[in-house]
Amino acid sequence: MVSPFQIRPGRDEDRLPLALVFAAVAEERDGIASEPPVDVEARAARWNLDETLVAVAAGEVVGSIHIDASGFGFGEIGMAVAREWRGHGVGSALLAAAIDWARERGLHKLSLSVFAHNEAAIALYRKFGFVEEGRRVNHYRRASGELWDAIEMGLLL
Ligand SMILES: CC(C)(COP(=O)(O)OP(=O)(O)OC[C@H]1O[C@@H](n2cnc3c(N)ncnc32)[C@H](O)[C@@H]1OP(=O)(O)O)[C@@H](O)C(=O)NCCC(=O)NCCS
């Protein structure tokens, strides 16, 4: 049984919780580009709340998506859901809300980069109609020294 969650725009009091979820996901060294150490205070301070939607359950931030709207009509997204909340529809709800957010602002496209091994994220994006537009080979150097491929994906709105 999963408690209900809601999606809403980011608020000032979300800064620290957003940064803590981000730091925890970075600790996994798997889904997002950032790796430890994450300067949580600095990350909290510079979080762009105007372009962030948060998922909240029982008053706790359990995930977020940000849309970096360019001046050229496309928005670049990044997202993360707290590990214990994955597989319960939070990512889908965040992505659906981000698509609405982008359409309301007149963007014509959403785009993103995802590690080639990130099957859960790629499945999520495909579910919403994102298509693969290219592959950046050995693009990200990890702290381990490994070089990881990234898949570029896009959704025309
Ligand atoms: C990717 C991520 C945001 C998905 O969030 P989520 O809340 O688990 O997503 P949902 O529960 O809404 O699932 C969405 C879809 O993803 C797919 N999916 C979810 N978990 C999966 C898994 N372990 N393997 C394969 N597909 C999976 C399914 O298609 C699912 O749709 P369905 O439930 O209708 O079948 C989450 O796994 C996450 O935060 N990962 C770590 C950070 C990260 O990778 N961010 C993205 C960087 S590009």
Side-chain angles (χ1 to χ4, degrees):
M1 182 68 186
V2 179
S3 43
F5 59 87
Q6 55 166 237
I7 310 296
R8 60 160 176 75
R11 301 175 188 154
D12 208 44
E13 66 265 27
D14 298 328
R15 289 184 179 283
L16 189 57
L18 282 165
L20 288 169
V21 171
F22 181 88
V25 177
E27 290 281 346
E28 297 174 34
R29 297 185 190 272
D30 186 47
I32 63 174
S34 294
E35 294 184 82
V38 171
D39 184 336
V40 170
E41 300 289 332
R43 175 74 50 174
R46 70 165 189 268
W47 204 289
N48 186 352
L49 295 166
D50 292 340
E51 299 189 325
T52 298
L53 300 169
V54 299
V56 181
E60 301 283 322
V61 170
V62 298
S64 69
I65 190 163
H66 66 85
I67 311 102
D68 185 7
S70 74
F72 307 104
F74 67 87
E76 189 83 16
I77 64 174
M79 67 187 300
V81 173
R83 189 195 266 277
E84 59 276 19
W85 270 87
R86 292 179 199 156
H88 297 296
V90 174
S92 297
L94 284 166
L95 192 52
I99 290 168
D100 289 346
W101 185 101
R103 287 200 173 113
E104 282 162 17
R105 281 155 187 80
L107 298 182
H108 74 273
K109 183 174 180 182
L110 287 176
S111 58
L112 59 91
S113 284
V114 56
F115 289 136
H117 66 263
N118 194 344
E119 289 175 15
I122 291 170
L124 168 63
Y125 301 135
R126 282 200 185 123
K127 185 172 103 170
F128 280 84
F130 282 77
V131 296
E132 296 181 18
E133 297 183 332
R135 185 180 189 108
R136 289 173 178 256
V137 176
N138 287 355
H139 201 60
Y140 286 87
R141 184 164 61 222
R142 308 296 289 168
S144 65
E146 288 176 42
L147 301 176
W148 288 2
D149 290 3
I151 308 285
E152 303 298 305
M153 300 185 81
L155 175 71
L156 290 170
L157 297 172

